[in-house]
Amino acid sequence: MTHYDEPALVVLSGGQDSTTCLFWARRHFAAVHALSFTYGQKHVLEVELARALAAKAGATFEAMDLPLVGQLGRNALTDTSIAMDEAKPAGGPPNTFVPGRNLFFLSIAAVYARERGIRHLVTGVSQTDYSGYPDCRDNFVKSLNVTLNLAMEAQFVIHTPLMWLDKCQTWALTDELGVLDVVRRETLTCYNGIPGDGCGHCPACQLRREGLEKYLRLKGRQA
Ligand code: ZN
C-alpha cells in the first residue's frame, strides 16, 4: 500500500481491531494521532489500555467523553440492567449494538481531524465478521465518507484496512506488523471487560479466539 507523507487519525477503542489499525497506520502514515471515546461503556479500562497502546505506537492520544451516545439507545454495553446476548439473535443486531456509535464517532473524529489539518481517518470496522452491526459495513463507511466531505467541503479519506479480513487474517496482519503479542496481551475485546484472551465465552472472545487459533494452526503448518 501507498505510504502517505501525511498524518492520520485512528479511532482507537483499545480492542484488537482498532489496535491493529493503529500499528497499520504507523507503517503507512507520516504521523499517527489516536482518538478514543468514552460513552458510558461498562469497561472504561479499554480507554486506559488505548492510551498505553498509543504511547507504544508513538501516537498522540486524546480521549473524549460522549455520554450521549450511550444514553440515546438502550443497549447491553452501557446499560448494566441488560444481560448481553451470548449469540446473535435472528432478525436484528445483538443487544450489544450501540445505535449510531460509529456514525457519531467517525463524524466527531472528522471534525477533530479537520481542526488539525488531518484528512486521513482510520477505523477498524470489518464487514467480514461484523457481528450484525450495520455500521461496520462497507456501504455505510463509504456513504459516510461522501457525507462528511459534503458536510465540511473536505477531502477526507476513511481507511478501513480490516474491512474484508476475517479474524484469522486480522491476526496475520497483526503478526506481519510485528505486534501480535502486544495485541494479544494488551488489548480488550471481551464484553465482560477482561483484557488479553478475555473471559473466553462471550461472542467477542469466541470470535477472537477462533481467529487466533486458526492463524496459529496455519502458521504452525507453514513453519
Ligand atoms: Zn469475553
Side-chain angles (χ1 to χ4, degrees):
M1 199 198 106
T2 326
H3 182 84
Y4 292 90
D5 197 21
E6 293 176 74
L9 177 72
V10 180
V11 180
L12 185 66
S13 72
Q16 177 193 354
D17 292 344
S18 64
T19 302
T20 301
C21 288
L22 173 74
F23 287 97
W24 176 89
R26 182 175 71 167
R27 175 172 289 186
H28 294 291
F29 292 89
V32 181
H33 303 270
L35 181 62
S36 286
F37 296 103
T38 50
Y39 53 97
Q41 67 268 52
K42 291 171 188 169
H43 311 301
V44 277
L45 170 66
E46 63 186 24
V47 177
E48 289 318 307
L49 295 173
R51 185 188 304 277
L53 289 158
K56 193 162 271 189
T60 66
F61 178 83
E62 195 164 332
M64 259 186 206
D65 195 25
L66 282 183
L68 187 67
V69 174
Q71 289 160 6
L72 279 168
R74 285 197 84 212
N75 68 84
L77 283 195
T78 58
D79 188 334
T80 46
S81 70
I82 305 175
M84 293 185 196
D85 283 339
E86 290 276 315
K88 189 184 157 192
N95 67 5
T96 46
F97 174 56
V98 182
R101 180 170 53 179
N102 285 334
L103 173 67
F104 292 123
F105 287 2
L106 285 169
S107 300
I108 287 163
V111 177
Y112 179 97
R114 183 181 178 277
E115 289 302 308
R116 288 157 182 78
I118 303 169
R119 68 188 188 98
H120 295 281
L121 307 173
V122 184
T123 170
V125 297
S126 172
Q127 177 156 344
T128 310
D129 284 332
Y130 84 114
S131 306
Y133 299 160
D135 58 354
C136 288
R137 292 183 295 201
D138 191 54
N139 58 5
F140 160 71
V141 175
K142 287 206 163 67
S143 157
L144 182 65
N145 200 152
V146 172
T147 298
L148 291 171
N149 289 352
L150 291 171
M152 286 179 266
E153 204 156 50
Q155 295 295 323
F156 293 113
V157 183
I158 304 180
H159 298 266
T160 53
L162 311 185
M163 184 59 77
W164 306 111
L165 304 186
D166 64 18
K167 274 285 180 283
C168 173
Q169 293 167 316
T170 299
W171 281 113
L173 174 60
T174 307
D175 201 13
E176 191 197 311
L177 293 167
V179 290
L180 189 141
D181 278 339
V182 171
V183 172
R184 182 168 182 189
R185 316 268 173 226
E186 299 171 31
T187 63
L188 195 164
T189 306
C190 174
Y191 288 155
N192 290 309
I194 302 166
D197 289 337
C199 75
H201 60 80
C202 77
C205 280
Q206 282 176 33
L207 200 58
R208 174 174 163 142
R209 191 189 61 235
E210 283 163 16
L212 180 63
E213 285 173 355
K214 185 176 169 195
Y215 176 64
L216 293 176
R217 268 200 314 275
L218 283 172
K219 205 184 157 196
R221 237 184 265 147
Q222 282 163 1

